[in-house]
Amino acid sequence: MTVTLEQVRGYRLRNHHLDAPLPAGALEGAVPCGAQNSPPGAWETALWNRAEGVTLSQLEEALYGRKTLLQAWSIRGVPLVFPTEEAGVFLAPLSARPGEEPWVYTRGITGALDALGMTFDQLLPLVEGACACLEGETVVSKEALDRRLAALAEPELPPEARTAWRAPSMYGRPDRQTVGEAAVSFLLRPCAFRGRVVFGEREGMYPTFTAPVRWLGRPLPEHPDGERELVHRFLRCYGPALPSHFQSWLGCSPRQAKRLWGAVQEELAPVEVEGRRRWALLEDLEALARGEAGERLLLLGPHDPYLDLRDRDTILAEPAYQRQVWRTVGNPGAVVLGGRVVGLWTVRTRGDRLDAAVTLFEDLPAPRRSALAELTERCAAFREKRLDGWQIR
């Protein structure tokens, strides 16, 4: 089967619920691959683009009130917001089996392990055990969480490792972090996958952390086939794709990605895109063939799930523009038309006011520019700000 880039974009837009917004009451189904929450608030913009007329208070009620949405460290170790009932898809399947480490965000722990004279497998159970304290308390701020768990884990260390555990960190903050606290920071992601820690309600500028059973009042829901479902979600949101794309999206080792991908191998069919072989779900070939990108104009926030892909040339062909959208740090938002990135946008807030600037990569006719200005006004209103300045370049 051969498909065009437009068909691929149409298929992805539809599965990301970006071809047309869902009703505001359908929040739990709006982000099938979860929504990253870094920078803080990124998940809210993602939901705003996918749920008609949704407000910040409705989102906060779903996350902090009804708790039908949950935030925890997940794919690539990022804070991810996803439906609570799908914790068995976005957490447990990410746990590496023996020999499948390291994840992209745990590689750096080597320096701490060498200083302690311990292995990853020796240290993880000690930090995981320290997380039991969260069943009875909530910790405010990530630094405080690192300190709390490091203090609890220290008595369980071999005596010869304790001096190094309390030594200044080798990771750039020796005045504010010990080796032990740095090691805990690396290991919090695997602890999250094992259901030991989730995010609680934010307190001002600080995140809070606690155990799932304390936050939800019950253990995390399980999924009977979470590993296969995780691959299905990826392929529906980012397919046709390669196993290497899946590995990059997860942030895991090639060995773990190969195992997870292999579990659905018999459900896949080869698809040719621009002369390149990719893989899609057999049951989705018809949907892929009828994919039409449409003409919906979108202001996607930084790290929106739709932008979270390895094959960036599918939605933005020019490498120079790609470097402006996908930066090492500080990504801007993306202006998307018909599934293609046609520009970027940034905002600056000052109290209750918001300034926005749009940089276009291609010329848009006057009606499109007017629609872009109106969309920016709506985004500011969603953020409960007044659009004070708007410019387009």
Side-chain angles (χ1 to χ4, degrees), residues 1 5 41 45 54 61 79 106 138 149 151 155 161 171 181 209 229 256 266 268 276 293 310 313 322 326 338 375 381:
M1 178 178 178
L5 289 179
T45 305
V54 72
E61 173 62 19
T106 56
T138 297
L149 298 183
Y171 294 101
E181 291 162 6
F209 305 91
E229 181 62 21
Q256 184 174 1
E266 294 183 356
L268 305 182
R276 296 170 294 184
R310 178 75 175 270
D313 54 346
Q322 289 181 11
W326 291 281
L375 196 56

Side-chain angles (χ1 to χ4, degrees), residues 296-347:
R296 189 183 179 199
L297 185 66
L298 296 160
L299 284 177
L300 299 185
H303 300 288
D304 184 272
Y306 183 72
L307 306 174
D308 190 13
L309 72 175
R310 178 75 175 270
D311 57 333
R312 295 169 177 172
D313 54 346
T314 301
I315 61 175
L316 180 57
E318 177 56 54
Y321 291 151
Q322 289 181 11
R323 289 190 290 272
Q324 294 182 47
V325 175
W326 291 281
R327 303 174 183 173
T328 305
V329 293
N331 284 7
V335 182
V336 173
L337 177 62
R340 297 182 303 109
V341 176
V342 298
L344 58 84
W345 66 294
T346 58
V347 297

Side-chain angles (χ1 to χ4, degrees), residues 59-342:
L59 293 178
E60 290 176 358
E61 173 62 19
L63 185 63
Y64 301 138
R66 299 195 315 275
K67 300 180 182 178
T68 55
L69 296 176
L70 181 68
Q71 183 179 186
W73 285 298
S74 180
I75 55 173
R76 295 185 311 284
V78 304
L80 196 75
V81 175
F82 51 85
T84 302
E85 292 305 311
E86 296 178 356
V89 176
F90 293 106
L91 293 178
L94 305 184
S95 291
R97 295 181 181 177
E100 290 183 347
E101 286 286 356
W103 276 64
V104 67
Y105 49 80
T106 56
R107 290 179 187 144
I109 197 175
T110 304
L113 294 177
D114 289 345
L116 296 167
M118 298 181 68
T119 67
F120 186 94
D121 291 336
Q122 288 174 322
L123 191 54
L124 177 57
L126 304 186
V127 177
E128 188 177 355
C131 286
C133 74
L134 299 176
E135 295 179 8
E137 64 186 88
T138 297
V139 178
V140 180
S141 90
K142 172 63 167 49
E143 284 190 7
L145 180 64
D146 292 342
R147 287 195 301 270
R148 176 72 170 131
L149 298 183
L152 290 172
E154 183 177 341
E156 306 302 319
L157 295 169
E160 61 272 17
R162 294 173 190 170
T163 300
W165 187 258
R166 295 189 296 269
S169 170
M170 67 283 288
Y171 294 101
R173 302 292 295 273
D175 58 326
R176 297 184 59 177
Q177 184 187 60
T178 65
V179 171
E181 291 162 6
V184 166
S185 184
F186 281 111
L187 295 173
L188 279 171
R189 274 69 174 179
C191 287
F193 304 159
R194 299 182 182 205
R196 299 296 185 264
V197 57
V198 296
F199 285 69
E201 185 168 0
R202 196 171 185 87
E203 292 195 9
M205 62 182 293
Y206 295 107
T208 69
F209 305 91
T210 191
V213 69
R214 177 176 171 83
W215 178 245
L216 300 174
R218 58 188 172 99
L220 285 174
E222 298 180 355
H223 192 287
D225 205 1
E227 292 183 349
R228 288 178 62 253
E229 181 62 21
L230 179 66
V231 187
H232 286 176
R233 297 293 181 90
F234 168 78
L235 285 167
R236 291 207 167 98
C237 287
Y238 305 106
L242 294 171
S244 59
H245 298 158
F246 177 61
Q247 179 198 339
S248 177
W249 179 70
L250 281 186
C252 66
S253 68
R255 185 171 178 178
Q256 184 174 1
K258 182 179 180 180
R259 171 176 60 82
L260 293 171
W261 186 275
V264 304
Q265 191 68 53
E266 294 183 356
E267 304 174 55
L268 305 182
V271 176
E272 186 174 291
V273 185
E274 297 283 292
R276 296 170 294 184
R277 193 185 202 194
R278 299 287 187 264
W279 297 93
L281 290 168
L282 271 166
E283 63 186 36
D284 278 6
L285 292 183
E286 183 179 342
L288 182 57
R290 71 170 184 265
E292 294 181 358
E295 291 296 315
R296 189 183 179 199
L297 185 66
L298 296 160
L299 284 177
L300 299 185
H303 300 288
D304 184 272
Y306 183 72
L307 306 174
D308 190 13
L309 72 175
R310 178 75 175 270
D311 57 333
R312 295 169 177 172
D313 54 346
T314 301
I315 61 175
L316 180 57
E318 177 56 54
Y321 291 151
Q322 289 181 11
R323 289 190 290 272
Q324 294 182 47
V325 175
W326 291 281
R327 303 174 183 173
T328 305
V329 293
N331 284 7
V335 182
V336 173
L337 177 62
R340 297 182 303 109
V341 176
V342 298

Side-chain angles (χ1 to χ4, degrees), residues 50-63:
R50 292 163 170 82
E52 184 70 38
V54 72
T55 65
L56 284 177
S57 61
Q58 288 173 326
L59 293 178
E60 290 176 358
E61 173 62 19
L63 185 63

